[in-house]
Amino acid sequence: MKLRRGLLIIGLLTPGLGLILALIGTVVYIAVSQSFGYYSLNGTNEFSTEFWSKMAGRKAFKRSIQYSIYIGVFSAIFSVALAYPLAIWLRKPFAGSNFIGAVLKAPLLVHGLVAAFLFINVISYHGILNQFMQWLGIWSEPRRLQNDPNAYGVLILQTWKNMPFALLLLTGAVQSISDDVLDAARDLGAGTWDRFRRIIAPLTVSGMQAAMVIIFIGAVADFSFQVIAGPTNKQSLSQLMVSFKGRGDWHSAAVVGVSLMMIALVGSAILAVVARMVMRGRIK
Amino acid sequence: MVAIKIERLTKKFGDFTALSNVSLDVQPEEFVTLLGPSGCGKTTLLKLISGFLEPSEGSIKIGGTDVTHVPPEKRDTALCFQSYALFPHLTVRENLEFGPRQKKIPASERKTRIDDVSEKLDLTAQMEKLPNQLSGGQQQRVSLGRALAMRPSVILFDEPLSNLDAKLRDQVRIEIRRIQKEYGLTAIYVTHDQAEALAMSDRIVVLNNGRVEQVDSPELLYHAPKTKFVADFIGDANIFSGTIVGQKGENIVQVETAIGTIEFETPTAPTSKKVNLCWRPESAVIGNTGIKAKVVHRAFQGHFTDLMVETNGTIFRVQAKRVEAQEGDDVQLSVAPNEVILLDQSA
Ligand SMILES: Nc1ncnc2c1ncn2[C@@H]1O[C@H](COP(=O)(O)OP(=O)(O)OP(=O)(O)O)[C@@H](O)[C@H]1O
Ligand SMILES: [Mg+2]
């Protein structure tokens, strides 16, 4: 009986979980092996830490790590920070709220590359933003906004693309809080900010964590926004990885790839813990 | 000084008038109950007092200050929710401390209050539990304690006992009254249970369709209802309309009704010939005089017997202590003129 049950569970899980584990497992295995010198395309197959030590010494690598973490963390924070008020606003249905919700989720349907090209067109030297600011008389001449060195363009695109996702998760979480609980807090003297800080935030922390982590992982590995709208003097980890591969240096590319995975893993764990501490620590 | 002064309060939701022209004065330390059928506007009135709704017209004063447009977080009222509305992520202690913390009460004073409240409500053993680890009765007490820890001048209850079983309800009812007296609180209590209202209140406000039908002590409401609605809603009542046919002596008026002639006592004769009368089932005396009736249903209730009797096709209720008559028997009954109540003509 127990055996049959166990087999049944395994049988049900295998198609989904098995495939995922097999795929992830293979990828991780190959990447890690390659970063240590195995699976070489030109034949020599021996263990070596050379690629790791060389990479660790490269300035470009360190800069890429910093840059990718910067993009990952701020994309996650901005997306969630924008999604919260919207989720709270859309908590109770009102005339037009469904429509607003749908419009806000539209970015989920637009491919990142398309969005990036649109964005570039809007902010280009002769684009409508420059024209508009000049027409208003705020700027006397067009400004160069494209590929700005602080990567504000990338952050805007990341936030635009990911906010709807955060909104989706947070709307569910916020809607599950009962009106009476919020009214009780209000009755006991909690204003808008205190209600958020002491009731809504702690009760939605799980949804917020999930949003943070998933957005962080996506943004830390950003390639397409970076290529089109990112600063020209900085490379994201994905970009660096691709550039090594382009030069045929698969081992170094693997080192960057494995680093990226580790950063995603460790980074999201840290982010999740910090987010919980910030939200829950406020109870007192 | 009055604790709460409500003047000509009206609340409309779109075209629908939920409350219309309600006026009420509540004295300090008084326990007032809002009683009425579902949908009559009890919760609406409570939300207006606590500030969650703004009136369409009229004003509310608490302790002499006009609070009509003051938001709930700034009002000196505390509301006990029917659903308890405890904060699920906070322990009992943190729930109790929530209000005092918001009010920036110093830690030492806070501790005194929480200790006091938790002891009075017998919650000391539950302080570190989360709400979902408590029984219904305990949750109810935490919700009460959370409001009490605010030391509000007015405490409001919205059907706080409806989720408790009958026995616990009796117990908590007494508890609430005791605490309210001990803290000297002015209380407004919402219920649709007339027995609860009669047992607990100093005064009862009977609401119907968003209007005040009558405001009186439980005794007066029971013995001197002013309208058909109140007579019917509170306790059992036999209500008859009839025509005045004569007068007996100084102040006894004779009225012809569907079941025969009924006499009632009044200091001033009614202005119109058509009147509505009511009397309580226990006012009838079964004997050898008066109205002849046939028993159609008999139910022994222990301390009294409940009879449904019929006269000329009209069925009404009689309750008496010792009744020999069985179903199908004929009885004779009379009601003393001072037990018959004259109701408002309008309703
Ligand atoms: N926000 C609202 N919008 C429209 N109508 C409302 C609103 N709130 C209440 N009402 C209406 O006002 C009337 C009074 O509602 P209220 O909640 O005060 O009733 P109640 O006396 O508390 O009833 P119950 O005993 O069932 O709780 C009802 O007919 C209700 O449908
Ligand atoms: Mg109600």
Side-chain angles (χ1 to χ4, degrees):
Chain A
M1 199 56 213
K2 259 201 171 154
L3 182 71
R4 271 186 59 187
R5 232 183 111 80
L7 284 177
L8 179 70
I9 292 174
I10 291 172
L12 286 172
L13 287 178
T14 308
L17 200 61
L19 191 68
I20 292 172
L21 287 180
L23 283 178
I24 292 181
T26 327
V27 171
V28 172
Y29 169 69
I30 301 262
V32 173
S33 311
Q34 264 185 343
S35 74
F36 285 108
Y38 295 109
Y39 290 98
S40 174
L41 293 184
N42 49 28
T44 50
N45 246 332
E46 55 189 340
F47 178 81
S48 146
T49 53
E50 169 202 345
F51 305 104
W52 279 100
S53 53
K54 255 204 213 148
M55 187 61 71
R58 284 197 179 101
K59 268 219 179 86
F61 179 62
K62 275 184 208 145
R63 277 217 308 273
S64 287
I65 291 182
Q66 277 170 6
Y67 176 68
S68 283
I69 292 178
Y70 162 78
I71 294 290
V73 169
F74 282 100
S75 302
I77 292 177
F78 289 156
S79 304
V80 168
L82 277 182
Y84 251 123
L86 288 171
I88 294 168
W89 181 46
L90 294 172
R91 198 174 82 88
K92 296 278 245 91
F94 54 88
S97 65
N98 271 340
F99 177 72
I100 294 169
V103 169
L104 285 172
K105 278 163 203 142
L108 289 173
L109 301 174
V110 182
H111 193 276
L113 273 179
V114 179
F117 275 115
L118 274 175
F119 179 69
I120 288 296
N121 275 315
V122 170
I123 64 164
S124 68
Y125 201 70
H126 296 295
I128 44 174
L129 183 65
N130 264 315
Q131 282 179 347
F132 183 65
M133 293 307 267
Q134 279 172 279
W135 178 74
L136 283 180
I138 296 175
W139 293 349
S140 54
E141 54 197 39
R143 297 196 180 179
R144 232 199 92 76
L145 303 168
Q146 237 170 297
N147 307 96
D148 67 290
N150 291 318
Y152 294 143
V154 176
L155 287 179
I156 289 173
L157 278 166
Q158 284 286 0
T159 306
W160 178 84
K161 179 81 184 148
N162 286 315
M163 192 281 292
F165 177 71
L167 182 60
L168 217 55
L169 283 178
L170 289 178
T171 308
V174 168
Q175 276 173 347
S176 70
I177 303 175
S178 86
D179 287 351
D180 277 357
V181 164
L182 289 175
D183 280 353
R186 192 160 185 216
D187 192 55
L188 294 168
T192 311
W193 170 241
D194 280 332
R195 284 201 299 281
F196 175 75
R197 190 167 74 93
R198 297 185 65 185
I199 308 294
I200 297 177
L203 285 177
T204 54
V205 74
S206 305
M208 193 266 318
Q209 276 177 312
M212 282 277 224
V213 164
I214 295 172
I215 293 170
F216 171 76
I217 291 174
V220 91
D222 172 46
F223 183 76
S224 46
F225 288 152
Q226 169 62 20
V227 168
I228 293 163
T232 42
N233 63 341
K234 288 190 185 102
Q235 274 192 313
S236 72
L237 280 168
S238 307
Q239 233 178 349
L240 188 68
M241 187 174 86
V242 171
S243 80
F244 277 119
K245 196 217 84 177
R247 279 179 254 148
D249 186 352
W250 285 82
H251 296 296
S252 301
V255 170
V256 179
V258 172
S259 312
L260 187 52
M261 283 192 274
M262 290 192 316
I263 288 168
L265 199 70
V266 175
S268 45
I270 293 174
L271 215 53
V273 170
V274 170
R276 181 161 287 255
M277 277 180 359
V278 170
M279 297 297 219
R280 283 264 157 112
R282 290 300 180 90
I283 290 167
K284 298 286 147 163
Chain B
M1 194 187 64
V2 285
I4 308 172
K5 191 169 187 63
I6 294 169
E7 279 177 306
R8 299 186 329 279
L9 211 56
T10 297
K11 177 68 194 176
K12 294 191 172 120
F13 295 110
D15 290 340
F16 178 75
T17 307
L19 271 187
S20 123
N21 211 13
V22 171
S23 296
L24 176 69
D25 284 356
V26 180
Q27 302 305 318
E29 309 194 16
E30 195 179 17
F31 195 104
V32 171
T33 298
L34 306 179
L35 175 68
S38 184
C40 69
K42 304 181 295 289
T43 300
T44 304
L45 182 50
L46 211 61
K47 283 191 170 169
L48 285 165
I49 298 170
S50 53
F52 289 105
L53 290 174
E54 272 203 45
S56 312
E57 277 161 52
S59 69
I60 303 169
K61 290 197 184 95
I62 295 177
T65 329
D66 190 325
V67 296
T68 314
H69 303 290
V70 174
E73 61 266 33
K74 302 239 167 68
R75 288 195 194 187
D76 191 14
T77 58
L79 181 57
C80 285
F81 291 78
Q82 178 174 358
S83 64
Y84 309 147
L86 300 180
F87 305 126
H89 57 300
L90 302 182
T91 62
V92 170
R93 181 185 303 282
E94 288 166 332
N95 265 282
L96 295 178
E97 279 193 326
F98 191 96
R101 269 181 195 283
Q102 282 300 328
K103 270 188 155 182
K104 306 247 163 18
I105 308 288
S108 57
E109 160 77 7
R110 228 161 48 209
K111 187 173 175 332
T112 325
R113 284 195 195 183
I114 305 302
D115 288 350
D116 179 49
V117 162
S118 57
E119 194 167 317
K120 284 212 172 82
L121 293 173
D122 194 19
L123 285 167
T124 36
Q126 326 294 338
M127 295 304 273
E128 307 311 322
K129 288 188 184 166
L130 287 173
N132 64 8
Q133 298 168 317
L134 300 176
S135 73
Q138 288 167 340
Q139 291 181 31
Q140 210 285 328
R141 294 210 296 274
V142 177
S143 135
L144 176 59
R146 194 174 60 176
L148 289 174
M150 292 289 281
R151 300 272 162 94
S153 54
V154 175
I155 191 161
L156 308 164
F157 299 90
D158 194 357
E159 310 209 20
L161 308 186
S162 53
N163 292 329
L164 301 180
D165 63 50
K167 197 155 180 183
L168 200 54
R169 211 177 304 170
D170 276 353
Q171 201 180 314
V172 179
R173 189 192 277 175
I174 294 167
E175 194 88 319
I176 287 181
R177 217 35 246 264
R178 180 178 63 81
I179 298 265
Q180 178 259 339
K181 280 192 183 133
E182 227 168 274
Y183 283 92
L185 295 168
T186 307
I188 298 191
Y189 186 98
V190 165
T191 181
H192 62 256
D193 179 346
Q194 46 114 352
E196 196 168 293
L198 291 176
M200 293 183 82
S201 324
D202 292 326
R203 269 193 311 156
I204 299 175
V205 179
V206 182
L207 287 170
N208 182 29
N209 281 329
R211 291 174 186 280
V212 175
E213 289 272 336
Q214 189 172 349
V215 185
D216 260 319
S217 68
E219 289 78 7
L220 274 174
L221 272 184
Y222 189 81
H223 294 296
K226 289 204 176 104
T227 64
K228 254 185 184 175
F229 177 83
V230 175
D232 202 32
F233 193 74
I234 295 181
D236 295 313
N238 296 307
I239 301 170
F240 298 99
S241 50
T243 319
I244 295 178
V245 288
Q247 190 143 359
K248 217 166 97 182
E250 271 285 286
N251 41 20
I252 295 198
V253 178
Q254 292 175 309
V255 177
E256 192 58 38
T257 71
I259 60 165
T261 306
I262 295 176
E263 295 175 348
F264 76 94
E265 199 180 308
T266 174
T268 51
T271 46
S272 105
K273 284 262 174 228
K274 294 251 172 240
V275 290
N276 288 321
L277 300 176
C278 95
W279 44 274
R280 299 292 178 190
E282 70 269 20
S283 302
V285 179
I286 299 177
N288 307 323
T289 57
I291 300 157
K292 289 195 175 69
K294 185 192 272 301
V295 177
V296 292
H297 182 79
R298 179 184 195 273
F300 178 64
Q301 300 280 358
H303 55 295
F304 67 90
T305 302
D306 195 25
L307 299 178
M308 298 303 288
V309 300
E310 188 203 314
T311 300
N312 302 334
T314 304
I315 294 180
F316 55 99
R317 170 169 259 149
V318 173
Q319 290 167 350
K321 277 235 166 84
R322 260 176 228 106
V323 180
E324 257 101 74
Q326 296 299 319
E327 278 176 24
D329 289 357
D330 288 318
V331 290
Q332 267 197 312
L333 49 94
S334 56
V335 185
N338 61 357
E339 298 271 4
V340 177
I341 307 148
L342 177 69
L343 298 174
D344 273 3
Q345 291 318 105
S346 54

